[in-house]
Amino acid sequence: MKYLDEFSDPVLARRLFDDIRALTTQPWALMEVCGGQTHSIIRHGIDQLLPDEIRLIHGPGCPVCVTPLEIIDKALEIASRPDVIFCSFGDMLRVPGSGRDLFQVKSEGADVRVVYSPLDALRIAQENPDKEVVFFGIGFETTAPPNAMTVYQAKKLSIPNFSLLVSHVRVPPAIDAIMNSPDCQVQAFLAAGHVCTVMGTKEYPALAAEHEVPIVVTGFEPLDILEGIRRAVRQLEAGEHIVENAYPRAVNEQGSPAAQKMLADVFEVTDRSWRGIGMIPQSGWRLSPKYRAYDAEHRFSVGGIETEESTVCRSGEVLQGLIKPHECAAFGKQCTPRNPLGATMVSSEGACAAYYLYRRLEAPKKTASAANAPAKEASSVG
């Protein structure tokens, strides 16, 4: 309970709001990279309590949301095969493909199972030698090491009927792509603390220098986010653009050498398509030649699947920070958590899901009283 209470303290929150307000002299646009940070911001009303000059842009930091449509369709094709046990984390089962999702495939008789670890899928492969067992490996640098370890173990234990459908993406190339976009409005980043726990902060100084943009590594509790915002605004007001670590209880410059060693052995960097954004060079991982035999995409020959995104869903623009969820005409109408059109409404970290869950169904209205919220209002943080 320590961190639940300590990092939601309303008195400290009020002080941070006051500090941010005192620092701010002009409009600034900050992007939080991680969907977990987005949910914390919306849940606690942080964006509505900030000064009107501070605009938060929700970035593409939800791994479920950025998994490209063609990968979902490949998962559906593989899962539909009678000799396959398809394993996945639960949040992927309702992500819509071109015409259906994994729940529908399961209802049609496919053996689709929710697991809590990729090692659960490896155990299922050992227990079912007559079946091909596939684990759906998605996510950022945070989830890549355990998936890499599972493939490593499959090879070490000579388990031939296990494979990994890979859709891993990397954050630094995405930041670079966002800053290179002609529509970019981002002036500072709140970097994802859990990604940096694995990879460290060493990839970010070059990005901060090249694009002249502050990058503050930030946690996920209300006070973490407010401290990240405070540091980013201080840099912007001072004309600085460096990397700061506002999450030192979990992050250091080098990250986890053991995890990075495993990633370097099992994966290799590749170009990767992001749903709603498109191809970003060198932004993903695939299995290295040493482990290519465990690549489900190659094993099941599904590399040629092509797809076309919905013309109604604007989740791609949400993922790029170009619009807020409530600015999509389908939001809360044709598109709801029960009947999602895009992954940003399905995922527990999706921006659309956050706006719907916390009833942000229309544009928020800031008032003078909100901008100068008294201590009892600031206590809503946490």
Side-chain angles (χ1 to χ4, degrees):
M1 293 296 293
K2 175 183 177 182
Y3 292 130
L4 291 178
D5 296 334
E6 182 178 350
F7 290 93
S8 299
D9 187 314
V11 175
L12 293 178
R14 175 57 188 267
R15 291 178 187 171
L16 284 167
F17 277 119
D18 288 344
D19 285 350
I20 294 167
R21 193 170 295 112
L23 285 168
T24 306
T25 65
Q26 57 185 299
W28 301 112
L30 287 64
M31 174 177 279
E32 80 276 4
V33 171
C34 177
Q37 293 169 336
T38 299
H39 269 253
S40 188
I41 287 166
I42 303 304
R43 175 188 176 188
H44 298 288
I46 289 172
D47 57 330
Q48 294 182 322
L49 291 170
L50 288 169
D52 289 346
E53 294 85 357
I54 304 299
R55 180 164 61 99
L56 297 182
I57 300 174
H58 312 315
C62 163
V64 175
C65 302
V66 301
T67 301
L69 185 58
E70 58 265 28
I71 290 288
I72 303 298
D73 282 357
K74 289 172 184 179
L76 296 171
E77 166 64 24
I78 294 170
S80 299
R81 302 192 182 190
D83 61 334
V84 167
I85 299 174
F86 194 88
C87 300
S88 173
F89 295 142
D91 54 3
M92 292 304 299
L93 268 64
R94 294 187 60 248
V95 179
S98 293
R100 53 185 182 163
D101 58 29
L102 284 167
F103 265 130
Q104 185 173 343
V105 171
K106 181 177 175 64
S107 72
E108 294 167 355
D111 193 344
V112 177
R113 305 186 188 184
V114 173
V115 295
Y116 297 94
S117 163
L119 291 173
D120 292 341
L122 192 62
R123 175 183 52 79
I124 292 171
Q126 289 177 297
E127 295 171 351
N128 297 270
D130 58 329
K131 293 280 191 176
E132 288 286 342
V133 177
V134 180
F135 179 72
F136 200 176
I138 72 154
F140 292 93
E141 294 93 331
T142 319
T143 55
N147 291 345
M149 172 60 78
T150 303
V151 175
Y152 173 86
Q153 288 292 334
K155 182 177 176 65
K156 181 180 179 180
L157 298 173
S158 299
I159 303 174
N161 62 321
F162 174 83
S163 59
L164 186 72
L165 181 60
V166 184
S167 184
H168 280 300
V169 288
R170 303 172 56 240
V171 169
I175 290 177
D176 188 50
I178 289 167
M179 292 306 300
N180 284 323
S181 168
D183 299 318
C184 179
Q185 302 173 22
V186 180
Q187 296 167 292
F189 286 94
L190 304 182
H194 49 11
V195 169
C196 295
T197 300
V198 175
M199 303 304 293
T201 61
K202 53 188 179 294
E203 292 185 87
Y204 293 99
L207 287 171
E210 178 183 352
H211 298 292
E212 298 185 348
V213 57
I215 300 177
V216 181
V217 178
T218 307
F220 307 90
E221 297 300 324
L223 296 190
D224 287 325
I225 292 168
L226 288 172
E227 174 62 9
I229 293 170
R230 186 191 69 81
R231 293 193 188 201
V233 171
R234 186 203 62 77
Q235 283 198 52
L236 289 166
E237 291 282 346
E240 298 176 357
H241 42 83
I242 62 172
V243 176
E244 288 190 68
N245 181 10
Y247 198 37
R249 67 182 186 275
V251 172
N252 60 56
E253 182 181 1
Q254 297 305 314
S256 170
Q260 294 168 31
K261 182 179 179 180
M262 180 59 63
L263 290 171
D265 179 40
V266 176
F267 290 127
E268 64 181 8
V269 173
T270 186
D271 299 344
R272 182 67 72 182
S273 178
W274 294 51
R275 189 169 193 170
I277 298 175
M279 183 66 69
I280 301 178
Q282 302 294 286
S283 67
W285 278 304
R286 66 183 176 190
L287 289 173
S288 65
K290 180 179 176 182
Y291 297 92
R292 193 60 49 82
Y294 296 91
D295 189 332
E297 191 168 339
H298 290 276
R299 182 174 295 193
F300 295 95
S301 301
V302 292
I305 291 179
E306 296 183 1
T307 57
E308 188 172 332
E309 291 280 1
S310 166
T311 57
V312 177
C313 175
R314 299 179 67 187
S315 61
E317 293 169 83
V318 173
L319 288 169
Q320 296 177 69
L322 300 179
I323 66 170
K324 300 291 189 183
H326 51 66
E327 294 178 288
C328 174
F331 174 76
K333 301 176 182 69
Q334 299 102 311
C335 184
T336 67
R338 282 184 174 270
N339 188 33
L341 294 180
T344 48
M345 184 62 86
V346 175
S347 171
S348 60
E349 293 188 357
C352 294
Y355 272 60
Y356 191 92
L357 177 63
Y358 300 114
R359 312 311 293 168
R360 297 286 190 86
L361 304 183
E362 57 184 23
K365 298 178 176 62
K366 281 191 175 183
T367 64
S369 59
N372 298 280
K376 66 178 181 179
E377 293 184 338
S379 69
S380 65
V381 178

